[in-house]
Each structure stands twice: as structure tokens, then as C-alpha cells.
Amino acid sequence: MDRAVNENSPSPDRTSDAASEPWTVRRILDWTTAHLEKHGSDSPRLDTEVLLAHARNCERIRLYTNYEDVVTEQERALMRQLVQRRANSEPVAYLVGNREFFGLDFYVDKNVLVPRPDTETLVIELVDEAQKLTNPFILDLCTGSGCIAISAAANCHNAKFQATDISEPALAIAQKNAASNELSNQIQFLLSDCFEQIPPGTLFDIIVSNPPYIPDAEIEQLEKDVRQHEPRLALSGGKDGLDFYRKIIQEAGRYLKDQGLLMLEFSPEQEADLLALFKATGEYTNVRVKADLAGRARVIIGQKLPILK
Ligand code: GLN
């Protein structure tokens, strides 16, 4: 009966020709997944689902509860643009303007590094230490999207933060993220190349940073997504990748209270260099390294020795 109706109907969908099948959610998901896989995405199905949910302005789960819905022309037009950009390796987070980190939503675009799950290890350690203190004052250097200071603030309501970045657009994004997460009252943002604009004499309980750490020669070997789309400024750590660590580890002592903590994220192969940099200052005790969820060395923590008077 249905078939007879279809055959007599003038609808372009009545033939079995694939080109005239309606573009349902299911068909778009399958087609796009194959397309993105061909263009080198590591997670083509997930990318496709996130993009289609964005184009349809719905939650991902709604794609599956409306699997046979025909996607509107307007949504398909938006999806086509997103897929084209993703096929050109643009990170999904930039395409949808959002990334979840530590259970919070962060706006991101090409001016900031996309927050990485690895960085949650640093935040866990930071929150753990901050919660032991009464009213801690914490400095986050190279804040980027603000993900470290903001997610720590959300979990330590007694803590106050200063967050710096050398990039004006990055700082504007961090500010916007603090506001959207309703944490602006805990965080002060400062345009500054590391410690440069911190007033002398300011002392923190904890200084934290996930600075740029890719050695110059390795930038060209990074995945296309990162190399072509994420900000160089947020990646490049100089010739050996350690420029920011040298600067931060040498200068942090001046801005830390006695027994204050310096906590830095790094790339696993830099562990020995970082231990040596901490040791060379002679200013830290209790230096320890924490592993990420994959078991790789990821965070280094040192405690400032009290100055002997
Ligand atoms: N602190 C930000 C992050 O962890 C930015 C880091 C960076 O730009 N190197 O994502």
C-alpha cells in the first residue's frame, strides 16, 4: 500500500536511486563518518555526531532518538560547511566553539589551545593542595582559555586567583569563560608575559602553569590539526622546548610564600630536565612528579624552602 502510494507520488524520494534517498540523520551520520575517516580524522564517528548535533542545535543523544528524521536544508547547509572545515583538520572544538574540561564548558577558538584531558591531572593536584589551605592565593601563568584557574576556582571557593597570558585575545576568552562559569569574582586576569606585570612583592601560595613546551624542530611533526590550527604562541617552547620552564622555575621563588608550591605540567620526556631545573635553583624541597591517567609523568611539584634568616 505504502509502496503504491510512493510509486505514484511525484516526490523525488520515490525511486531507489541513492542520490534521491532523503538525507536522514542516519544517512548523514554514515556518509560523513566515512568522509572524515578518509580525510584523516582519528575519531570520525564522534566528530560527525558532535558536528551534526551542533548543526541541528540538539544534544548528541537526540540524533539517535530521531534517527530517521529528515535533516532540513538549512541544517544540511551548516553541516556541509562544518564538515568541509573538519576535513581540512580544523579541531572540532573550534568548529563548535566549545570544549568540556573538568566538567565545565569552555568557549574556545583559534586564539587558545584546546584544553587537553592531560591537563586535568594538574588541576586534580592543584585542587588537592589548594583545599588544604584556608584562603589560598594562586597564580596561573599562560592561562590560555583559563581552563586551569577556572576549573580550580570552581572546586575551591575560598581561593583567589591571578591568571596571566601574553595574548590579549586569549585573555579575553579566559575572562569570558570565567564569566560564563560564574567565577569572575575569584579570578583577576592580567595581560603579562609570565611574571612581568606581577607587582613586585606579591606572594602566592601556589604558582601553576601549563606553558608552551614543544621544541621548535618538533612543531612541523605535530598532527595537522594542531600544527595548522592551534596558536603557535601556545605551543612553541623554544629550541629545546624548555624556555618557559627555565624562566618560570628561576623566577617563581620571588613570588612564592615560604613553603609555597610551584606546580607545572610538562611532556613526559622532559621529566629529567625539569627535575634538574628545580634542583639547580637550590630553592625547592619535596620535589615530586605525578603521572597522568595513562601512567606517564605529567606534573612536577616543588615546595619553596623557607629562606634562612
Ligand atoms: N593553560 C592553558 C591550558 O592548559 C593554555 C596552555 C598553553 O597555551 N600552553 O590549556
Side-chain angles (χ1 to χ4, degrees), residues 113-116 119 140-145 147-148 210-212 234-235:
L113 201 74
V114 177
R116 308 292 204 262
T119 303
D140 174 24
L141 299 169
C142 312
T143 197
S145 63
C147 63
I148 297 171
N210 174 27
L235 298 169

Side-chain angles (χ1 to χ4, degrees), residues 126-145:
L126 172 58
V127 168
D128 197 42
E129 293 297 342
Q131 283 178 347
K132 294 177 193 162
L133 304 168
T134 321
N135 290 307
F137 191 28
I138 300 169
L139 174 64
D140 174 24
L141 299 169
C142 312
T143 197
S145 63

